[in-house]
Amino acid sequence: MSQASEFHNLHAPTGGIERELAPGLHAHIFAGEGAMLSVVTIEPNAAGTLHSHPEEQWGVLLEGSAIRVQGEEEIPVRQGDFWRTPGGVPHTMRAGPEGCRVLDIFAPPRPEYRVPGKGFGG
Amino acid sequence: MSQASEFHNLHAPTGGIERELAPGLHAHIFAGEGAMLSVVTIEPNAAGTLHSHPEEQWGVLLEGSAIRVQGEEEIPVRQGDFWRTPGGVPHTMRAGPEGCRVLDIFAPPRPEYRVPGKGFGG
């Protein structure tokens, strides 16, 4: 089988599973076997709700700025920052005034995100 | 424990495990439990060697341009492109004339990359 179907683009993440995580937080989700990638756009000043899940998560700030809430800390992040969120640690994001785009990586994939829907699952 | 040690930056990937994958391909590797991230700089026109491993891999082209060799295909990639490489599929990269930077994601982590060294392991 051609490998071409495995190639996508962050700026036009077509072909993923769309999910509204919260008002102003929109995700395009691509599931593999070992990991799941989610390209998330957060509107200016929008914020998710604190949640956790057993799967490890990594995040990469692609554009803009935000506050990463993780554990009991609030850590400002800017373009190029990346971080690991161990499984079970409560977390969320709050976008800065210009909004932001984030690449989230779940390993293993989150079963809740394999189907279209709303919310953070769990 | 503070979450601050889980935060890094793609432009200055300090704190990772350094690895020379091939001449002109230099990696900073960050290992988690579910996934391992590797920030790879490829010098202009440098190329890795075709290899495979059982772990799933994802790649994100952060800067520059390259040819992604995957399976029996050669697919040009540009900034913002990302792709999945199923476990066991032979692959490598060949940078364009301006070089490139790639974020590689291994899920699960590759045991060979948990220690400093040279080469693609396996």
Side-chain angles (χ1 to χ4, degrees):
Chain A
M1 196 185 87
S2 169
Q3 294 291 316
S5 64
E6 303 286 7
F7 287 70
H8 311 281
N9 186 272
L10 294 172
H11 306 298
T14 52
I17 298 168
E18 295 197 42
R19 189 174 190 91
E20 189 184 359
L21 299 171
L25 281 78
H26 191 82
H28 290 261
I29 297 168
F30 299 81
E33 293 176 11
M36 169 181 271
L37 270 60
S38 175
V39 183
V40 183
T41 302
I42 309 184
E43 291 177 14
N45 302 308
T49 51
L50 201 67
H51 64 283
S52 69
H53 42 74
E55 296 84 3
E56 180 175 278
Q57 181 171 339
W58 293 75
V60 181
L61 200 71
L62 301 171
E63 292 172 26
S65 67
I67 302 291
R68 176 68 176 175
V69 182
Q70 186 160 313
E72 298 187 349
E73 291 166 75
E74 300 204 349
I75 299 180
V77 287
R78 61 187 176 84
Q79 191 275 327
D81 284 346
F82 67 98
W83 55 89
R84 188 180 84 97
T85 309
V89 172
H91 58 274
T92 193
M93 295 281 284
R94 209 160 64 223
E98 76 277 40
C100 68
R101 299 186 79 224
V102 189
L103 174 64
D104 282 335
I105 300 153
F106 304 100
R110 292 195 63 194
E112 303 95 318
Y113 285 6
R114 287 192 181 273
V115 292
K118 282 179 186 281
F120 291 100
Chain B
M1 196 186 85
S2 169
Q3 294 291 316
S5 64
E6 303 286 7
F7 287 69
H8 311 281
N9 186 272
L10 294 172
H11 306 298
T14 53
I17 297 168
E18 295 196 43
R19 189 174 191 90
E20 189 185 358
L21 298 170
L25 282 77
H26 191 82
H28 290 261
I29 297 168
F30 299 81
E33 294 176 10
M36 168 182 271
L37 270 58
S38 175
V39 184
V40 183
T41 303
I42 310 183
E43 291 177 15
N45 302 308
T49 50
L50 200 67
H51 64 283
S52 70
H53 42 76
E55 296 85 2
E56 180 174 279
Q57 180 171 341
W58 293 74
V60 181
L61 200 71
L62 301 171
E63 291 172 28
S65 67
I67 302 292
R68 176 68 176 174
V69 181
Q70 186 160 313
E72 299 187 348
E73 291 166 75
E74 300 205 349
I75 298 180
V77 287
R78 60 187 176 83
Q79 191 275 328
D81 284 346
F82 67 98
W83 55 89
R84 187 179 84 97
T85 309
V89 172
H91 58 275
T92 194
M93 295 280 284
R94 209 162 62 222
E98 76 276 40
C100 68
R101 298 186 79 224
V102 188
L103 174 64
D104 282 335
I105 300 152
F106 304 101
R110 291 195 64 193
E112 304 94 319
Y113 285 6
R114 287 193 182 272
V115 292
K118 283 180 187 280
F120 291 102

